[in-house]
Amino acid sequence: MRAITCPYCFAAVPAQRIEFRCLGRAGRGPGCEPVLDRRLADYTGSTAAASLPPVFSASGRRNRADCPACGKPTGRRVCPECHNPLPSAYCDTPGRIVALVGAKNAGKSTYIAVLLHELMNRIGTELDTSLVACDDRTIDRYKRDFARPLYDERRLLPTTASAATTPREPLVYLLTRTRRTRFGRLGLGGGNDALTLVLFDTAGEDLRSRDVRDLHLRYLEAADAVIFLVDPLELPGARAALVGGALPVTADDPDSEPINVIARVTEALQARGSGDRLRIPVAVALTKIDALQPSFARQSALHRSRQSRGALDLDDREAVDEQVRALLHEWQAGQLDRYLRQQYTEYGFFGLSALGAMPGDGRVGAGGVQPYRVEDPLLWLLYRFGMLDGVRGSAADSRPAAGRNV
């Protein structure tokens, strides 16, 4: 069994080194009293929620262990380095870590909020998947900082403060999907596949500061895939294509230019490589595509909505990829395509909109949140990981297609 990467501190932990946390005392029954967990407190930066039943060593290859102090059995496994919980499904079916990065104004916070909402609802139903937060901190932060303001109050999310002044934790979710086989969903070879989504809402200045970037984006070295969010309005050619000047022109900032952001992240990823092209799959998504749609040709693939087929439509995937690549070259941003081709073996282009329409006065449009293709990058990654079928023509014709970006 390969080492498990902790989705919190990103330590590579051999299965046998995984530790357990005692269940503690319930009523008058047996169990250990809470004690201050200094490793967890050091990770969170606070002792407020770090008084818990003790952690002990046992063979992490097993699902359960008996606490040596009270004898009570427990199945609560934890990382031996930071003492954060390791969900059983994650330990038994090691997941994939997906890193989300982008410069200031790329819409990362809004994208996170909408993507998670879609995975919990529409996309989750389509793909027969469950999305469960791995800890209470993730549940609280998602509700407080993302779902409540955007969906309940219909307020736009504020620009993220720098991690140098406002330390943040990742949002950690376990996405589980039933593996389908020709013998039936639960037939021979069936079971569950797991993908761990580890999402940081990273401020633009965090990518400019080497010290903060190295501290706060260590997860890049552990990532199995990366989603780059690119604000197309940072591309001069795209700004010129705005119909009627629909959006204000953003201030010129070399550190927010997409090529510079991608180059910094690539540098961090190369620390784990051998100098050749990186094999990690990379999805490059143009956000706010709704603002530019009026300028697209009528037959553009970016005028179409994705069909809900419970699989990746490979014909549609290729059409969108080719359309976005053509737009980049048209907007004098072909350097992005060339750089990615030189640095990565697998990459794909996407166009999406988290809100689906122009906001106004700091609020979501009158029609509410109407996302357009926000799930496309993740569906492509699920396909690359073997968790999602690819189809052409009809759903019955499931076969992968050749090519780098498929």
Side-chain angles (χ1 to χ4, degrees), residues 40-62:
L40 184 61
D42 288 343
Y43 173 85
T44 61
S46 171
T47 60
S51 290
L52 297 166
V55 168
F56 61 90
S57 298
S59 175
R61 292 182 181 277
R62 298 182 179 180

Side-chain angles (χ1 to χ4, degrees), residues 253-265:
D253 182 356
D255 288 318
S256 290
E257 292 180 5
I259 186 64
N260 294 334
V261 174
I262 291 176
R264 289 192 194 95
V265 174

